[in-house]
């Protein structure tokens, strides 16, 4: 765990040992994070700032063990209390409402090999699509709102700025690349 001061100094606060490999991490609340894992069922877990680990169970979550850390990613969308999980091999994005237990498994030709995922403005979700070299924006209900083609081989990680006007994207091709895009 790191902290960032107002003068942009980054300080290591704490190291949390785990018994599993973590791929993506997203805050669930002020003290707890959700992480995607490999070698475990379920493939999404929680870990809090004290190192306590837990499981997330939802009827839509894949009942399989991922062997490659890059085949699954997750993000929590606080405004809709939704856990979003990508499954690269199944070309599927799972949107799991953690309050009601309902959810959607989304497959769309615009999302081939979904990888990284993050919360967007107004409960939307951005997903990196490796196969279409794009970033896809989903509504809170799982509808495709837009697909933004990006000139990036293997888009892998996406994040939205706090002001929700720009997103940043990195790739997984071995080339060191980060691109910045405006959200229209």
């Amino acid at each position: 765990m790191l902290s960032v001061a107002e003068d942009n100094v980054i300080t290591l606060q704490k190291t949390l040992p785990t018994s599993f490999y973590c791929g993506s991490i997203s805050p669930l609340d002020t003290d707890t994070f959700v992480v995607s894992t490999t070698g475990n069922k379920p493939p999404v877990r929680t870990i809090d700032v004290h190192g306590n680990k837990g499981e997330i169970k939802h009827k839509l979550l894949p009942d399989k063990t991922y062997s490659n850390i890059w085949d699954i990613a997750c993000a929590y969308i606080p405004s809709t209390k939704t856990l979003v999980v990508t499954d690269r091999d199944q070309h599927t994005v799972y949107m799991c409402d953690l309050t009601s237990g309902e959810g959607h498994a989304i497959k769309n030709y615009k999302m081939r090999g979904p990888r990284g995922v993050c919360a967007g403005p107004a409960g939307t979700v951005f997903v990196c699509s490796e196969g279409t070299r794009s970033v896809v924006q989903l509504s809170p209900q799982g509808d495709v709102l837009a697909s933004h083609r990006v000139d990036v081989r293997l888009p892998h990680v996406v994040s939205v700025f706090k002001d929700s006007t720009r997103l940043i994207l990195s790739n997984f091709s071995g080339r060191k690349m980060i691109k910045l895009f405006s959200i229209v």
Side-chain angles (χ1 to χ4, degrees), residues 32-47:
T32 309
F33 305 92
V34 292
V35 295
S36 59
T37 69
T38 58
N40 292 292
K41 277 188 184 181
V44 179
R45 303 246 170 154
T46 61
I47 187 165

Side-chain angles (χ1 to χ4, degrees), residues 1 14 16 25-34 46-53:
M1 293 175 44
K14 188 177 195 178
L16 301 174
I25 186 166
S26 180
L28 182 65
D29 57 37
T30 57
D31 293 331
T32 309
F33 305 92
V34 292
T46 61
I47 187 165
D48 68 19
V49 295
H50 307 291
N52 300 314
K53 299 158 194 84

Side-chain angles (χ1 to χ4, degrees), residues 73-95:
C74 68
Y76 181 69
I77 316 304
S79 62
T80 60
K81 296 182 177 29
T82 301
L83 174 65
V84 182
V85 178
T86 63
D87 185 321
R88 186 177 69 102
D89 293 334
Q90 295 299 313
H91 308 291
T92 305
V93 174
Y94 301 94
M95 296 181 76

Side-chain angles (χ1 to χ4, degrees), residues 148-167:
H148 311 280
R149 178 113 169 112
V150 292
D151 186 26
V152 174
R153 185 172 169 256
L154 303 174
H156 182 68
V157 176
V158 64
S159 186
V160 174
F161 279 68
K162 260 187 181 178
D163 66 5
S164 297
T165 62
R166 297 170 291 169
L167 63 88

